Amino acid sequence: MIWIELFLTFLKIGAFTFGGGYAMLPLIQSEVERHGWLTQAEVVDFIAVSESTPGPLAINMATFVGIRTGGVLGAVCATLGVVLPSFVIILIVAKFYEKFRKSRAVDGMMYGLRPAVIGLIGAAFLSVGMTVFFPNGLQTTAFSGAGFWLSLAIFVIGAVLAFKKLHPIAIIGISAVIGILAGYGLGL
């Protein structure tokens, strides 16, 4: 049954990833592609949409995949699957917080998780970057297309504006306008 498969898949994603949505991206991408629920390009497109809409990335992705593959019940199952592990963990942590707050083992575990989370975020960045900049694989012909240079320009403009402390909504809006104009003007 698709609903059980959605629930169990997103339960696994929620249970075995730490560090939020970006750290979850490699596992989400792997699972939804393995099941054939989304293509690599669709994952990247949805990340762009999800980043410009309210709510956490993993929940948005679970809800979208669920509704697309199993209707409303699929969305409920996938979303419940991805949030249930965090919910249970927070309940347990809240119950025992005072007892373990100064535990060296807990501090050590959190210290050890930090590099793994950074690695997962880096893997997501590379995966999305490869899909955006090199959709047909790493080939020299990719550098000759207008799409590559436009994507690179939008990335650079976004990075510069982010470092200049421009509000994220303005960056998203500017990037969207550039993308729309390029889509209509250049036929991308």
Side-chain angles (χ1 to χ4, degrees):
M1 257 185 145
I2 189 68
W3 304 303
I4 294 171
E5 189 175 9
L6 283 164
F7 175 79
L8 293 175
T9 299
F10 280 96
L11 182 73
K12 177 171 63 172
I13 290 167
F16 292 106
T17 53
F18 297 92
Y22 292 118
M24 292 177 154
L25 274 179
L27 187 55
I28 291 171
Q29 183 176 9
S30 170
E31 288 295 320
V32 298
E33 287 177 15
R34 185 174 65 80
H35 285 89
W37 295 332
L38 294 176
T39 65
Q40 189 175 29
E42 289 172 324
V43 170
V44 171
D45 288 345
F46 189 76
I47 291 167
V49 170
S50 181
E51 285 303 304
S52 57
T53 58
L57 179 96
I59 293 173
N60 289 347
M61 184 71 84
T63 304
F64 175 74
V65 170
I67 201 138
R68 185 171 182 189
T69 58
V72 173
L73 186 55
V76 170
C77 290
T79 303
L80 183 61
V82 81
V83 300
L84 190 61
S86 297
F87 181 74
V88 170
I89 289 168
I90 290 299
L91 284 178
I92 293 169
V93 167
K95 174 91 173 136
F96 297 105
Y97 177 72
E98 283 303 317
K99 183 176 181 181
F100 292 108
R101 186 171 65 135
K102 300 199 188 247
S103 166
R104 292 186 69 174
V106 171
D107 282 346
M109 181 183 72
M110 293 309 212
Y111 182 78
L113 284 174
R114 287 181 197 140
V117 168
I118 290 170
L120 288 169
I121 292 170
F125 176 78
L126 289 174
S127 175
V128 169
M130 287 296 293
T131 303
V132 168
F133 292 113
F134 305 104
N136 299 321
L138 194 54
Q139 303 169 359
T140 56
T141 57
F143 299 106
S144 63
F148 171 81
W149 294 106
L150 181 65
S151 295
L152 183 61
I154 291 172
F155 175 78
V156 169
I157 290 168
V160 168
L161 293 176
F163 282 111
K164 291 203 176 265
K165 305 290 185 200
L166 186 66
H167 197 280
I169 293 174
I171 295 171
I172 291 169
I174 291 168
S175 298
V177 168
I178 293 170
I180 290 167
L181 292 175
Y184 284 110
L186 300 175
L188 298 176

